[in-house]
Amino acid sequence: MLLRTLLTACAFVPSPGKFPATGDDTIAGGIFCLSLTDLATYLAKTGNNPGATGTESPKGSAAATSGSGPYPAQTFTDSTLPKHTIYAPKKPPTNVTMPVIAWGNGGCATDPTTHSNFLLEIASHGYVIAADGIAGGKTGASQSMVTDMRASIDWFTKGTGAAKYGNVNTSALATMGHSCGGLESMSTAYHDDRVKRIVMFNIGIFNDEKRYLLQEIKVPVAWFVGGPKDMGYPNVEKDYKLLPAGLPAYKASLDTGHGGTFAATNGGKAAKGAVNYLEWQFRNDETAKAKLLDPKAAGSLVSDNWTVQFKNWT
């Protein structure tokens, strides 16, 4: 048996064969992330530019909508899950069971506003999302932690707070996030069997010495990244290869740089990719699956200029 060490009050120090019991750490993003100081050092060393954009980056102002799905969505604050924002259909649907998502923001920010177009789009297809933070970031913290995303999971699975938004399906639960929030989603899912899928945007593990922790990931992982200009791109290339043998994985890249398309109307092409992935995974939608896996399918990601790679799926 590999040694599993519970780290509580101290920062996780990676060492091959050293597996903490949870993904918690003293830094935002958890055990798969790195500190802001280390990030600055990394960027100076590699020359990566988090502000780089690409041919698919959003241009102009986005229209404000309730999403393009069949269930117009909005944001809610909920006293049963403080310091979070809920994205859900305006009216609880009566004809659909809704998968649930715990979301982490870019920079592990405590304000999800910059991702609202994207999150409303997903919610409008019949999903309930609990995002770290509230509009304005008035949570008393500068960055979110694994404990914040775990609070979302607990809210979905242990209490009754989420039930007011409709018929939620806690057996179809994903952790998702952008940048630091993406690493938070993987750290939160680590050793938590309530999480069935991990979806990460524009990010991979920065530290080579932490990649051995990927051995402990037990559920399918999907990455949506922003092409070679994205500071997450080279690390995702490494992580994809190092997942446990036989574990399903999906990797799609679009020329946006690190910022993705979150700010576009209805979240742009990143939201389209995410919705189709979730519909395939949690609702067994064969049309959505084809868009992800078959370049010749109508509306495929490849036809939208994504470069796609996947393994252990047919």
Side-chain angles (χ1 to χ4, degrees):
M1 294 287 292
L2 294 170
L3 175 65
R4 300 183 186 275
T5 305
L6 176 62
L7 302 180
T8 53
C10 58
F12 170 65
V13 178
S15 177
K18 185 178 183 180
F19 293 92
T22 73
D24 294 274
D25 202 349
T26 57
I27 61 172
I31 58 172
F32 287 102
C33 205
L34 81 174
S35 69
L36 290 174
T37 300
D38 289 339
L39 175 61
T41 301
Y42 172 89
L43 294 175
K45 179 180 178 180
T46 62
N48 292 134
N49 176 14
T53 59
T55 58
E56 296 283 348
S57 298
K59 298 174 178 64
S61 299
T65 81
S66 300
S68 69
Y71 311 103
Q74 71 177 61
T75 61
F76 300 84
T77 55
D78 195 310
S79 62
T80 64
L81 185 62
K83 300 181 180 180
H84 291 72
T85 299
I86 309 304
Y87 293 81
K90 293 179 180 181
K91 297 180 180 179
T94 58
N95 62 338
V96 65
T97 299
M98 295 189 290
V100 295
I101 297 165
W103 172 264
N105 308 302
C108 289
T110 54
D111 183 348
T113 302
T114 58
H115 300 92
S116 283
N117 292 351
F118 173 86
L119 297 174
L120 286 168
E121 173 65 13
I122 295 174
S124 76
H125 290 268
Y127 292 79
V128 180
I129 304 165
D132 292 340
I134 55 177
K138 299 175 183 179
T139 65
S142 60
Q143 287 186 290
S144 62
M145 307 293 284
V146 166
T147 49
D148 294 297
M149 188 172 284
R150 187 177 298 120
S152 296
I153 296 174
D154 290 343
W155 181 74
F156 282 126
T157 61
K158 294 182 178 180
T160 59
K164 71 183 72 170
Y165 300 99
N167 184 14
V168 296
N169 179 8
T170 59
S171 65
L173 189 156
T175 54
M176 294 174 49
H178 173 224
S179 194
C180 179
L183 292 172
E184 182 183 311
S185 74
M186 181 170 275
S187 296
T188 304
Y190 171 93
H191 289 178
D192 191 333
D193 60 10
R194 295 175 297 178
V195 180
K196 306 307 179 186
R197 297 292 184 272
I198 303 168
V199 187
M200 304 172 69
F201 293 86
N202 307 90
I203 203 66
I205 300 169
F206 289 99
N207 310 73
D208 288 336
E209 62 270 24
K210 288 186 175 183
R211 292 187 207 285
Y212 75 92
L213 292 169
L214 289 166
Q215 299 170 34
E216 295 292 276
I217 299 301
K218 307 301 183 186
V219 297
V221 183
W223 289 273
F224 294 89
V225 295
K229 296 174 186 175
D230 182 355
M231 72 172 183
Y233 181 88
N235 295 325
V236 171
E237 294 297 294
K238 294 178 182 180
D239 295 349
Y240 179 82
K241 296 175 183 177
L242 291 175
L243 286 176
L247 190 69
Y250 187 85
K251 177 165 62 74
S253 178
L254 184 71
D255 182 29
T256 64
H258 191 60
T261 68
F262 302 104
T265 300
N266 294 329
K269 292 182 179 181
K272 175 183 174 181
V275 167
N276 279 288
Y277 180 78
L278 293 167
E279 291 288 278
W280 165 32
Q281 293 296 301
F282 288 146
R283 292 193 169 120
N284 298 312
D285 187 317
E286 289 295 321
T287 300
K289 176 182 177 180
K291 291 179 181 179
L292 273 290
L293 302 189
D294 182 0
K296 297 181 181 179
S300 73
L301 265 66
V302 170
S303 70
D304 271 347
N305 297 325
W306 292 88
T307 300
V308 170
Q309 187 176 357
F310 57 88
K311 58 185 177 181
N312 303 317
W313 270 310
T314 56

